[in-house]
Amino acid sequence: ADDPFGPLIQMAEAASLGMPFEVWKTRMGRQRTESTTQAFANIYKDGGVKAFWRGTQAKMFESATKGAILMYAKEGINDSLLAAGWQPGMAGVMAGAGGGIAQVSVMGPCTYLVTGAVNDPGKSMAERIRTTYARGGVAGFYPGGVAIAFRQATNWASRQGFTEVVRAQAKRTLHGDENAKLSKWEEVGCGITGGTLASWNHPFEVARIEAQSRGNAGQPVGNMVSVMRDIVREGGVGGLFRGIIPRIGLGIWQTLFMVTGAKMVKETLKEQGLISDVKGGH
């Protein structure tokens, strides 16, 4: 039942506020001496409002494909585990990890192209694809692949898991009943809290941005550990957390669409009798 909604929800997330947060975070992950406000101002200075949507073509392709993969895998795993008697928080963690890992195959090339568009905006998308393929073949699109895998597994495990734990706590605290139905605004609040807590894994994201920026520039990339070591040597441990503010904004925005939004869509369709309920579902 989720197949038609995954791509549409994720494309809407990216095309709206998702892309500006992504561009802002990506710049800070590479230009790590800039403050949060300096990075924002410099993006605008470089290309005006349009600069906040650099790389949108690659992002839309990524969203159309990874959205379907995430929603199908995550919700399917989650419903199955709940039906098998798992606690919602643990089921959410496992479902999120499974869905996140499933996304990596399409995300490598797409995030590589977005990173290039943000940090090296002189080339067209077609030229960047040609140059990269000529330099390293298909493998050339996957620098930072391990960091992406770690980030994605922990991303959705954290967002889904934290949000489910917060929802369960909200039901007990606000309604005194763990089986109570939360209002839409209460669901939104849980999604925002879950998205914020899920930003703990930001060092994987900075390593991914640095590795892909090196790849776009034709420089040696190294492995995830060596990239992280270089970042720390250059700017201390704080360097691994550059761009955390736009990342939190992006995490909240994505969580509202992909966790809270998915739940609302499913429940609305169930209420209208368009899809059947799942035993042990939410």
Side-chain angles (χ1 to χ4, degrees):
D2 296 305
D3 293 10
F5 301 111
L8 297 176
I9 292 171
Q10 192 121 32
M11 288 171 79
E13 170 268 307
S16 49
L17 285 181
M19 235 12 245
F21 280 127
E22 183 74 36
V23 168
W24 190 6
K25 171 195 70 173
T26 300
R27 181 180 178 99
M28 290 191 71
R30 178 62 164 168
Q31 307 295 337
R32 292 184 295 277
T33 57
E34 295 180 352
S35 70
T36 304
T37 50
Q38 281 172 339
F40 188 91
N42 286 335
I43 293 166
Y44 185 79
K45 203 181 296 175
D46 283 351
V49 173
K50 286 192 297 186
F52 287 95
W53 276 267
R54 279 184 181 142
T56 297
Q57 295 161 291
K59 192 69 180 176
M60 286 297 102
F61 180 79
E62 176 194 321
S63 298
T65 50
K66 78 172 185 178
I69 293 167
L70 173 69
M71 298 300 290
Y72 184 82
K74 179 173 68 65
E75 293 295 320
I77 294 168
N78 202 48
D79 285 343
S80 299
L81 293 177
L82 288 170
W86 285 51
Q87 290 298 313
M90 201 60 218
V93 169
M94 297 304 293
I101 290 171
Q103 292 179 312
V104 175
S105 58
V106 297
M107 290 193 67
C110 293
T111 56
Y112 170 85
L113 292 170
V114 172
T115 299
V118 173
N119 289 324
D120 180 24
K123 292 180 183 172
S124 70
M125 196 69 71
E127 186 185 351
R128 193 177 306 282
I129 291 169
R130 276 196 306 272
T131 308
T132 302
Y133 188 79
R135 190 166 55 223
V138 173
F141 293 93
Y142 285 89
V146 174
I148 296 171
F150 274 95
R151 186 198 71 174
Q152 285 308 105
T154 53
N155 256 4
W156 289 112
S158 299
R159 286 178 195 160
Q160 181 83 5
F162 279 132
T163 301
E164 290 295 349
V165 170
V166 171
R167 287 180 76 249
Q169 187 61 47
K171 288 178 179 182
R172 286 193 293 269
T173 304
L174 300 174
H175 301 286
D177 177 8
E178 61 185 25
N179 296 314
K181 182 174 170 58
L182 296 174
S183 72
K184 285 189 167 50
W185 284 111
E186 287 166 350
E187 290 279 11
V188 167
C190 292
I192 288 172
T193 306
T196 302
L197 292 172
S199 297
W200 67 269
N201 67 353
H202 195 62
F204 294 130
E205 179 68 341
V206 175
R208 188 271 303 175
I209 292 167
E210 176 63 24
Q212 291 183 335
S213 296
R214 291 179 184 180
N216 269 285
Q219 299 169 351
V221 174
N223 59 41
M224 184 179 76
V225 174
S226 70
V227 170
M228 285 183 162
R229 199 162 43 226
D230 291 345
I231 292 167
V232 171
R233 190 182 300 126
E234 190 183 289
V237 175
L240 293 171
F241 291 89
R242 301 301 294 160
I244 189 73
I245 291 174
R247 171 78 193 287
I248 287 172
L250 180 62
I252 291 170
W253 192 245
Q254 289 178 331
T255 302
L256 291 178
F257 269 84
M258 299 302 287
V259 179
T260 308
K263 197 172 298 296
M264 289 181 178
V265 168
K266 282 182 73 178
E267 288 181 355
T268 301
L269 292 176
K270 283 174 187 173
E271 285 167 9
Q272 294 178 0
L274 296 176
I275 60 173
S276 59
D277 204 347
V278 179
K279 187 184 176 190
H282 316 307

